[in-house]
Amino acid sequence: MMALRERAMVSLQSVPSLPKHVRIQYDPVRQALAVLSPEKVFWPNDISLDILRRCDGRSTVGHIIAGLAADYDAEQEAVAADVVAFLQEWSDKLLVKI
């Protein structure tokens, strides 16, 4: 029987990173970037890729939000909910370490 792991909750102080089994790779056939994990391939949009690229194991979620808000000329509050929700979903799928 498999033990349930405790759900990691994303906060502004979280420092997300991509686990060793997840990588971003260019697919020349589709001419797009894919996120590869064992047995699965994801085709995230440009903004999702921008979030994932910033999951470097050094930047906090707060810093990622601030950087995205600056790059997209958006309010941090408008960006924050989407970034936290995205990272939570990907963490729940074990595609991002929190």
Side-chain angles (χ1 to χ4, degrees):
M1 186 162 168
M2 193 171 92
L4 294 177
R5 73 178 181 96
E6 190 172 325
R7 184 182 191 208
M9 299 303 294
V10 176
S11 74
L12 295 181
Q13 291 76 39
S14 299
V15 181
S17 63
L18 297 183
K20 287 181 171 58
H21 67 274
V22 175
R23 69 181 194 274
I24 300 171
Q25 184 172 310
Y26 183 74
D27 180 341
V29 174
R30 290 197 186 199
Q31 296 187 339
L33 287 166
V35 175
L36 307 178
S37 73
E39 302 176 18
K40 288 198 177 177
V41 178
F42 300 88
W43 300 96
N45 64 29
D46 289 343
I47 294 172
S48 297
L49 282 166
D50 212 354
I51 295 169
L52 291 171
R53 281 193 197 102
R54 295 168 195 248
C55 294
D56 56 12
R58 296 184 305 272
S59 301
T60 65
V61 172
H63 285 112
I64 292 170
I65 290 166
L68 289 165
D71 289 355
Y72 289 95
D73 195 26
E75 293 293 324
Q76 284 194 37
E77 294 75 26
V79 173
D82 290 340
V83 170
V84 169
F86 173 82
L87 290 173
Q88 188 65 63
E89 178 184 340
W90 280 59
S91 170
D92 291 347
K93 293 178 181 175
L94 306 180
L95 298 168
V96 169
K97 284 197 303 189
I98 298 298

